[in-house]
């Protein structure tokens, strides 16, 4: 596997910046949906249960988006430090196709699969 060319790094930086903006927008929406359900609101029991379920789903989405945003920020920092595209586990270059699909990834496909099998 080859290291990333400056043109590829530039393209991936744009993808990371675009992803960061999307995540920030999603986080804003999710934060509104994740607010506590008003138990004093005069609605039926099933409607309240549905509202609580929707709130829990929004909270899970919020946590996932926050985690992914941290990965995006870390990838941008790694890019600035010249470490972007290296597997954090084996130090081998991460394939371009994988970075194009998930530009915030920190593991090559082999290490990611190995960790997934251990779970």
């Amino acid at each position: 596997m080859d290291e990333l060319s400056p043109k590829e790094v530039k393209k991936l930086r744009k993808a990371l910046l675009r992803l960061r903006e999307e995540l920030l927008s999603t986080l804003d929406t999710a934060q509104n949906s994740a607010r506590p359900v008003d138990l004093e609101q005069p609605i039926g029991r099933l409607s309240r249960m549905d509202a609580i379920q929707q709130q829990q789903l929004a909270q899970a989405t919020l946590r996932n988006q926050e985690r992914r945003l941290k990965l995006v920020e870390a990838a941008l920092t790694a890019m600035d430090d010249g470490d972007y595209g290296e597997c954090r586990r084996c130090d081998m270059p991460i394939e371009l196709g994988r970075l194009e699909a998930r530009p915030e990834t920190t593991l090559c496909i082999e290490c990611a699969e190995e960790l997934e099998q251990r779970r």
Side-chain angles (χ1 to χ4, degrees), residues 15-98:
L16 283 165
L17 292 172
R18 192 171 40 253
L19 179 57
R20 180 172 65 182
E21 290 305 312
E22 289 172 14
L23 289 168
L24 288 171
S25 176
T26 302
L27 280 169
D28 188 44
T29 303
Q31 286 173 340
N32 290 332
S33 300
R35 279 187 259 142
V37 174
D38 181 8
L39 298 177
E40 300 300 319
Q41 187 178 5
I43 58 176
R45 185 177 63 117
L46 292 178
S47 295
R48 183 171 288 115
M49 287 173 53
D50 186 49
I52 292 170
Q53 189 175 31
Q54 291 297 322
Q55 174 206 20
Q56 290 173 343
L57 182 60
Q59 288 172 343
T61 298
L62 186 63
R63 285 188 300 273
N64 288 335
Q65 298 302 322
E66 287 171 340
R67 181 186 54 78
R68 193 164 182 205
L69 181 60
K70 286 179 184 177
L71 289 172
V72 168
E73 295 293 349
L76 288 167
T77 300
M79 200 174 269
D80 292 340
D81 294 343
D83 295 332
Y84 180 74
E86 294 175 9
C87 178
R88 296 292 175 246
R89 194 155 183 248
C90 70
D91 294 324
M92 296 297 294
I94 300 171
E95 291 183 24
L96 178 61
R98 179 161 172 77

